[in-house]
Structures are given as C-alpha cells and as structure tokens.
Amino acid sequence: MSTDGLSVDDGIRTLLLLMPRLVGRAKRLKVPEELQALSLAPRHLSLLAYLLFDGSMTVNELAARLEVAPATVSLMVGELSRKGVLDRREDDADRRRTIVSIAGRHQDAINEWLGYGAKAWRQALQPLTPEQRRLFVDTLLAYERAVSG
C-alpha cells in the first residue's frame, strides 16, 4: 500500500487494524522451552533486550535506558540472577558498581527469542533514512504517550 497522500483518517483506519495484529503476533512468539519455567514477565523483556544487543552494563546504565529507578533494576536483576538468567560481577575498576550480563547458558535461547523481533525491526527500518527512522520512532512514542493519558 502506498502512503502517498494518506489522509490522517486513512492512516488511523490502517493502524487500528494493524496494531492488534502486531501485538497478537508478538504475543505468539514462542518462549524457548528452557526459559518457560522461569516465569519471565514483560518487565524483563526490555532489560534482557538491552543486555542482549548492547552487552554487559551496570545497574545504573540499565536504569537510565529503561527509564526507571536503579532500585527497580536492582530488584529485577536480583530476581533474574536467582533464576540463573543473569550473572552479576563487581566492576574491576570500581568495586561499588555491579556489572550485569546474560548468563552464558541462556544466551542462545534469549537470542533466539528476542532476536526474531530485532531482525524484523531491522528489515523494516533498514530501507529508511535516519530522519525517517527518527520520525517513525517519535510517532510511536507520541502514540504511547497519548494512549497512556
């Protein structure tokens, strides 16, 4: 479908049909068998995605990216560490800081699970210019703010 001359109302109609399909497909992504027993919640997905795609980082770095308090991330990291999903270690440069990473034994399963969506986003965003990608992301953020009230 061409978006040339797409009116606001036509865009709304298209998105009202598209968004439930996108959410439905995302919900149907099968959690790898080895992760099913871990009862991972939606709040864990963003944290795991950052660690998967950006590598190990500190609790404070994760908190900044997730836009939550460091105490919230500390609780999630503690929970996922107890389940064996994450590894924590002291930062050699500053022992007050904790470096968090995905446990090696779960790396492949988490990559399989979350990597599928990342590949789809890459395929959709790659042909766009940086300005078009910025507009797309900003539009989704504006929509999120609007529905959050």
Side-chain angles (χ1 to χ4, degrees):
M1 169 172 70
S2 172
T3 57
D4 292 338
L6 186 68
S7 72
V8 171
D9 285 345
D10 287 342
I12 291 169
R13 282 184 198 93
T14 301
L15 290 170
L16 286 173
L17 291 171
L18 178 61
M19 293 302 286
R21 290 196 317 244
L22 286 174
V23 170
R25 286 191 176 110
K27 285 182 176 182
R28 284 193 302 267
L29 286 178
K30 188 176 184 305
V31 176
E33 193 172 315
E34 72 180 77
L35 300 176
Q36 288 177 6
L38 301 175
S39 301
L40 298 175
R43 69 181 179 277
H44 299 128
L45 298 184
S46 295
L47 184 145
L48 291 171
Y50 276 122
L51 292 173
L52 180 65
F53 299 113
D54 296 330
S56 301
M57 61 184 74
T58 67
V59 169
N60 285 339
E61 289 169 326
L62 279 167
R65 291 184 187 204
L66 294 169
E67 300 177 4
V68 297
T72 302
V73 173
S74 289
L75 291 172
M76 286 194 298
V77 166
E79 176 186 3
L80 292 174
S81 294
R82 284 188 295 281
K83 292 179 178 187
V85 176
L86 298 180
D87 288 332
R88 296 185 286 191
R89 64 176 173 79
E90 286 182 346
D91 184 348
D92 292 335
D94 182 350
R95 297 211 180 262
R96 295 170 294 174
R97 296 185 336 161
T98 300
I99 306 292
V100 180
S101 59
I102 295 173
R105 68 179 183 198
H106 292 300
Q107 185 81 32
D108 289 342
I110 291 171
N111 188 45
E112 173 191 333
W113 182 34
L114 299 179
Y116 181 80
K119 287 176 193 170
W121 278 120
R122 183 173 306 284
Q123 186 176 354
L125 294 172
Q126 191 74 41
L128 303 178
T129 66
E131 294 79 16
Q132 289 170 323
R133 286 191 288 271
R134 172 81 304 175
L135 178 62
F136 177 76
V137 170
D138 287 348
T139 301
L140 288 177
L141 289 168
Y143 175 78
E144 179 196 27
R145 283 190 304 274
V147 296
S148 296

